[in-house]
Amino acid sequence: MLSNGLSEDDLFSFLSSQKKEDIDYRYILSSMCTLPHPVAVKAHSLFMETNLGDPGLFPGTASLERLLVERLGTLFHHKDAGGYATSGGTESNIQALRLAKELRPSTCPNVVVPESAHFSFKKACDLLCLEIRNVPLGPDRRMHADTAAGFIDRNTICLVGVAGTTEYGMVDPIEDLSKIACEHDIFLHVDAAFGGMVIPFLERPIPFDFALPGVTTIAVDPHKMGMSTIPAGVLLTREPDMLDALNIDTPYLSVKREYTLAGTRPGAPVAGALAVLDYMGISGMKAVVAGCMKNTERLIAGMGTLGIEPAATPDVNVATFVCSSAPAPWRVSWTRNGHLRIVCMPHVQRDSIEAFLKDCGDMHA
Ligand code: 0PR
């Protein structure tokens, strides 16, 4: 600590100088986060001091969390879904597996996940002492139900499907996974952290949600394609009171039990997430997603013209290429297989795609 405080001018000139070192979102093609929608920023700033960890003190904010769960449950064909606002996909995935462990007790529990699953499942299994079984993907970069079935045994408590994989933007065949989850009477958790705010708004939505009877829980992140402020994730459960299985006593709070992982929880991004959904409506979200998908297609076509082949035909707005270098100042990412990866988020406008293509052309000329 400084012995005497700074003046406000000095403080903010320091903070601004540090912020200038951050990369301008215009050049960020590697991220699943995006610039928050202006209504999210406005709503966030209204709720800055709220703490959903003690909801009895903030009943108005707590009702926004219930509304967010209801909106997303309805979008995912189950208006009575349970759930709560998490800090993002990692927490939602941890809590989903924690639920499976609690409700499907086994002496030596294992979880069957696709090789494409986000690394948060590794964290979750480490924390919860679960064996993780990684299922190899098919040539289409999706996990097939018959392959997954070969990894399930009597100690399997949960099968995981991904709706919008982090690296290649693929949607696993959740309909088939739902069937085998029902046959084996195990949980099916769908990680739709990315795809949950894309797939329902596609011209031809792919089945992935509670309309499929085997789906037990869904993770969806408003702070990705939902354009909310960070951190905003949601874990949804088919049974409205399923989360009660995780309750612990909280004697001195305004509520006497809680099932959340975090204690103090920000209400601001919850207000931000709900604000975007209600401001955009289905039609607004369809327009955003259509724009992102169009940009993805344009990028793939443009790279093709340069002789750079796509590494996958994605279901959502993640484009990957067989290519080993990318021009500065663009920030791209690389998959574990060494493919160039670009996420066409809402902040990635058409002019950025064209500028990136031009720079790629100059570099490969
Ligand atoms: N599930 C899926 C399918 C994900 O893609 C991610 C994150 C998670 C779960 C975990 O979500 P949280 O990070 O919110 O806990 N996917 C991105 C990734 O790891 C997150 C990200 C976002 C990384 C922005 C970098 C970045 O700049 O690639």
Side-chain angles (χ1 to χ4, degrees), residues 31-33 88-90 93 118-119 164 166 191 193 221 223-224 341:
S31 178
M32 285 190 159
C33 290
T90 301
N93 290 338
H118 186 257
F119 49 75
T166 311
D191 182 357
D221 282 358
H223 71 202
K224 296 188 167 75
R341 166 181 175 270

Side-chain angles (χ1 to χ4, degrees), residues 144-156:
H144 292 278
D146 47 355
T147 320
F151 285 75
I152 295 172
D153 64 18
R154 62 192 174 80
N155 289 319
T156 303

Side-chain angles (χ1 to χ4, degrees), residues 65-82 84-85 196-197 200-201 208-210 218-222 226 232-236 273-274 277-278:
E65 181 177 24
R66 284 193 297 277
L67 270 178
L68 180 63
V69 167
E70 190 185 311
R71 295 274 191 283
L72 291 171
T74 307
L75 184 67
F76 297 165
H77 299 103
H78 187 35
K79 71 171 177 34
D80 296 325
Y84 82 98
M197 295 306 296
F201 308 115
F208 80 103
D209 63 17
F210 291 118
I218 300 178
V220 54
D221 282 358
V234 175
L235 174 65
L236 294 165
L274 184 70
L277 293 187
D278 284 3

Side-chain angles (χ1 to χ4, degrees), residues 23-356:
I23 310 295
D24 187 327
Y25 254 102
R26 181 180 151 78
Y27 298 109
I28 301 180
L29 307 179
S30 58
S31 178
M32 285 190 159
C33 290
T34 193
L35 285 168
H37 192 288
V39 300
V41 177
K42 202 167 164 187
H44 187 109
S45 60
L46 260 182
F47 287 83
M48 210 81 94
E49 73 288 10
T50 62
N51 170 22
L52 289 168
D54 205 354
L57 303 183
F58 303 99
T61 314
S63 73
L64 297 184
E65 181 177 24
R66 284 193 297 277
L67 270 178
L68 180 63
V69 167
E70 190 185 311
R71 295 274 191 283
L72 291 171
T74 307
L75 184 67
F76 297 165
H77 299 103
H78 187 35
K79 71 171 177 34
D80 296 325
Y84 82 98
T86 66
S87 57
T90 301
E91 181 180 338
S92 302
N93 290 338
I94 292 171
Q95 288 283 82
L97 295 194
R98 202 174 151 216
L99 263 181
K101 188 180 175 188
E102 195 61 36
L103 295 171
R104 284 280 178 283
S106 154
T107 45
C108 196
N110 70 67
V111 178
V112 172
V113 310
E115 255 176 2
S116 54
H118 186 257
F119 49 75
S120 48
F121 288 100
K122 168 90 177 78
K123 297 183 190 178
C125 289
D126 279 355
L127 284 168
L128 297 165
C129 300
L130 301 170
E131 181 199 341
I132 188 162
R133 296 188 172 178
N134 292 296
V135 180
L137 307 182
D140 59 355
R141 301 192 186 280
R142 296 186 183 92
M143 177 179 74
H144 292 278
D146 47 355
T147 320
F151 285 75
I152 295 172
D153 64 18
R154 62 192 174 80
N155 289 319
T156 303
I157 58 167
C158 187
L159 172 65
V160 171
V162 186
T165 58
T166 311
E167 289 187 302
Y168 292 92
M170 306 307 298
V171 178
D172 286 328
I174 310 292
E175 200 163 5
D176 300 344
L177 299 180
S178 161
K179 284 186 193 134
I180 62 165
C182 290
E183 274 166 27
H184 290 85
D185 191 26
I186 54 176
F187 276 30
L188 172 57
H189 172 60
V190 177
D191 182 357
F194 186 75
M197 295 306 296
V198 179
I199 302 164
F201 308 115
L202 290 172
E203 265 173 45
R204 276 181 295 281
I206 308 161
F208 80 103
D209 63 17
F210 291 118
L212 304 170
V215 174
T216 325
T217 45
I218 300 178
V220 54
D221 282 358
H223 71 202
K224 296 188 167 75
M225 282 296 289
M227 297 174 290
S228 75
T229 48
I230 297 170
V234 175
L235 174 65
L236 294 165
T237 62
R238 176 179 292 279
E239 308 303 334
D241 50 5
M242 206 171 180
L243 282 160
D244 290 341
L246 301 182
N247 267 335
I248 50 112
D249 292 336
T250 54
Y252 54 84
L253 299 185
S254 58
V255 284
K256 299 301 159 211
R257 279 170 295 280
E258 74 178 22
Y259 45 66
T260 55
L261 188 56
T264 301
R265 294 190 301 125
V270 170
L274 184 70
V276 177
L277 293 187
D278 284 3
Y279 182 78
M280 302 294 282
I282 304 269
S283 60
M285 284 306 299
K286 277 189 172 171
V288 169
V289 166
C292 293
M293 293 305 290
K294 218 169 157 195
N295 284 340
T296 310
E297 283 153 26
R298 165 64 192 140
L299 178 61
I300 293 174
M303 293 291 264
T305 313
L306 301 173
I308 301 168
E309 290 304 314
T313 306
D315 295 314
V316 295
N317 41 321
V318 179
T320 47
F321 300 96
V322 184
C323 176
S324 55
S325 57
W330 303 100
R331 292 299 179 109
V332 300
S333 58
W334 304 93
T335 70
R336 71 190 91 174
N337 302 317
H339 293 131
L340 165 63
R341 166 181 175 270
I342 289 176
V343 191
C344 292
M345 293 302 290
H347 70 272
V348 180
Q349 299 286 320
R350 179 62 181 260
D351 62 341
S352 301
I353 300 276
E354 298 303 338
F356 174 78

